[in-house]
Amino acid sequence: MNRLFVSCVASIALATAIPVFAQQPTSNDEPVATESDGYSNPEAAGTQKTDYSDTELRQFIEAQARLMEVRKEYIEKIESADSEEKANQLQMKANDRMLEVIRDSGMDVPTYNAIATAYNSEPKVRNRVDALM
């Protein structure tokens, strides 16, 4: 029963880790990764920045693809963890790795967050990102 609980918690945690990163402080005051499920908020439409450069959007696309790889890698590890503590440690490693992926793509986390939020709420941004893919 405990293994099932850990597996469910791990799956939910990583399922909510990409694409949107909510900024929550960690031990080193870095944001922690959490995911949006692709929900588009019609009430937020028109409230997000939409004038991102093609370079920023390409960096976002690159980061997104690599984040999916990290998610896949870590969800398997977390689901097979033998304790809740081990699963939590793996989740923290996954979060750190996701932050690293974003930075390695040439972006900062706030910009990634903003583009991901705009992608989910602004058709103009979504269409531009989709066209660059």
Side-chain angles (χ1 to χ4, degrees), residues 91-111:
Q91 176 63 46
M92 290 180 73
K93 285 182 181 181
N95 288 345
D96 290 343
R97 181 68 186 113
M98 288 186 233
L99 292 171
E100 188 178 308
V101 163
I102 291 171
R103 290 185 190 116
D104 287 350
S105 72
M107 302 186 83
D108 58 39
V109 174
T111 301

Side-chain angles (χ1 to χ4, degrees), residues 61-78:
I61 292 165
E62 176 188 334
Q64 189 65 20
R66 292 180 51 214
L67 288 170
M68 293 303 290
E69 293 170 7
V70 171
R71 178 184 178 273
K72 182 181 179 192
E73 173 188 347
Y74 276 93
I75 200 161
E76 292 170 2
K77 290 178 181 180
I78 290 170

Side-chain angles (χ1 to χ4, degrees), residues 36-48 50 116-124 126:
S36 164
D37 58 13
Y39 170 74
S40 179
N41 182 356
E43 293 177 11
T47 63
Q48 300 297 318
T50 60
T117 300
Y119 180 86
N120 287 324
S121 63
E122 297 293 335
K124 178 180 176 181
R126 178 183 303 264

Side-chain angles (χ1 to χ4, degrees), residues 13-71:
L14 273 180
T16 60
I18 304 169
V20 177
F21 285 70
Q23 292 195 4
Q24 301 170 353
T26 62
S27 59
N28 61 0
D29 292 331
E30 292 292 333
V32 175
T34 57
E35 178 184 0
S36 164
D37 58 13
Y39 170 74
S40 179
N41 182 356
E43 293 177 11
T47 63
Q48 300 297 318
K49 175 182 171 183
T50 60
D51 61 343
Y52 296 102
S53 70
D54 284 353
T55 300
E56 289 173 312
L57 296 179
R58 284 188 183 99
Q59 290 170 327
F60 173 79
I61 292 165
E62 176 188 334
Q64 189 65 20
R66 292 180 51 214
L67 288 170
M68 293 303 290
E69 293 170 7
V70 171
R71 178 184 178 273

Side-chain angles (χ1 to χ4, degrees), residues 2-15 17 70-95 98:
N2 189 29
R3 189 173 187 85
L4 176 63
F5 173 74
V6 170
S7 179
C8 289
V9 169
S11 295
I12 292 169
L14 273 180
V70 171
R71 178 184 178 273
K72 182 181 179 192
E73 173 188 347
Y74 276 93
I75 200 161
E76 292 170 2
K77 290 178 181 180
I78 290 170
E79 286 177 344
S80 64
D82 55 6
S83 70
E84 187 174 349
E85 181 180 340
K86 179 72 173 173
N88 288 336
Q89 290 173 349
L90 287 166
Q91 176 63 46
M92 290 180 73
K93 285 182 181 181
N95 288 345
M98 288 186 233

